[in-house]
Amino acid sequence: MTEPSKKDDGENVEHKAANEEHPSKQNRQENRVTLAKLLLIVPVMLLFCASLVPLYKQICAVLGITSQRALIQNTQIDLSRWVKIDFIAHLNNTFAWNFEPVQKHVDVHPGAVVTVNYRVTNTLPYATTGRAVPSFAPMEAGLYFNKVECFCFSNQTLQAGETRDMPVTFYVANKIPDEIGSIALSYTFFNVTGEAKKS
């Protein structure tokens, strides 16, 4: 019996290596194609999502739909009751802003849409950013206090010495219990200038 020559062994090894190398190149090429497709899909999806916002606004404008109009049309005002709303303003620690409600309190009918203002002034010689966090007393009153528009929905950046009136549009739900005759709405402003610069 003759043993296979070393030459044949070498050819077999080279052939095997070539076969292994070929799928590897093919896999790399397929990976590149897949990556290119994914990189193309992401901006297309972002563009599609961004285009939905103006499209939605245009549809609402054509149909005459706004959040406030929808509330006025769909909310029944309870003229038999009054709820007193007190407005309170706080600053966290040494945040150098002046912050106060323009109106200290209002009396509202449940279901009526009301707008009040808070006034804030940046007393620092440079721009700063604050974030307002609301709280309610009694705590359960927050379940019936519905904000339509509020400066607390986003950070507020004020330039040096700037004063700004910031609206809060709200309504108190009709289903508020009779025992809740008054609500204290308090906002505390936190200094988030450092966070705003990072983002």
Side-chain angles (χ1 to χ4, degrees):
M1 183 180 295
T2 58
E3 296 182 0
S5 65
K6 292 182 179 180
K7 183 179 179 181
D8 292 341
D9 290 342
E11 290 176 354
N12 290 336
V13 170
E14 289 177 4
H15 183 67
K16 185 176 180 182
N19 287 339
E20 290 176 352
E21 185 179 359
H22 180 67
S24 178
K25 287 182 179 177
Q26 187 176 356
N27 288 341
R28 282 199 295 269
Q29 188 174 359
E30 289 176 355
N31 289 342
R32 287 194 199 102
V33 172
T34 303
L35 180 61
K37 288 180 180 178
L38 289 174
L39 291 175
L40 182 64
I41 288 171
V42 171
V44 170
M45 289 177 63
L46 291 174
L47 184 63
F48 174 73
C49 292
S51 66
L52 289 178
V53 176
L55 179 63
Y56 174 76
K57 288 182 178 178
Q58 284 184 347
I59 292 172
C60 289
V62 170
L63 297 177
I65 299 171
T66 64
S67 59
Q68 189 160 340
R69 179 177 173 184
L71 282 171
I72 292 171
Q73 289 180 340
N74 295 318
T75 302
Q76 294 181 350
I77 300 174
D78 184 357
L79 298 175
S80 66
R81 297 179 58 195
W82 289 97
V83 178
K84 181 183 177 183
I85 313 294
D86 293 306
F87 303 102
I88 304 167
H90 296 291
L91 293 169
N92 181 255
N93 296 330
T94 56
F95 194 16
W97 282 10
N98 291 333
F99 180 45
E100 62 181 356
V102 176
Q103 298 162 274
K104 302 297 182 184
H105 76 270
V106 294
D107 294 318
V108 301
H109 291 296
V113 178
V114 180
T115 298
V116 298
N117 286 286
Y118 277 77
R119 182 167 295 152
V120 63
T121 301
N122 179 10
T123 62
L124 295 169
Y126 49 85
T128 48
T129 301
R131 180 185 301 148
V133 178
S135 61
F136 298 92
M139 287 182 60
E140 61 268 25
L143 299 172
Y144 309 99
F145 193 97
N146 299 281
K147 293 186 289 293
V148 181
E149 180 186 355
C150 181
F151 58 90
C152 62
F153 291 163
S154 59
N155 291 346
Q156 302 295 323
T157 299
L158 272 68
Q159 300 304 313
E162 180 183 357
T163 296
R164 184 184 301 170
D165 281 358
M166 301 178 298
V168 181
T169 301
F170 67 92
Y171 68 96
V172 176
N174 285 332
K175 61 183 180 181
I176 186 170
D178 291 337
E179 56 268 24
I180 301 180
S182 64
I183 300 173
L185 171 61
S186 175
Y187 285 99
T188 302
F189 251 117
F190 293 81
N191 188 345
V192 294
T193 305
E195 295 178 23
K197 288 180 178 178
K198 291 177 184 177
S199 59

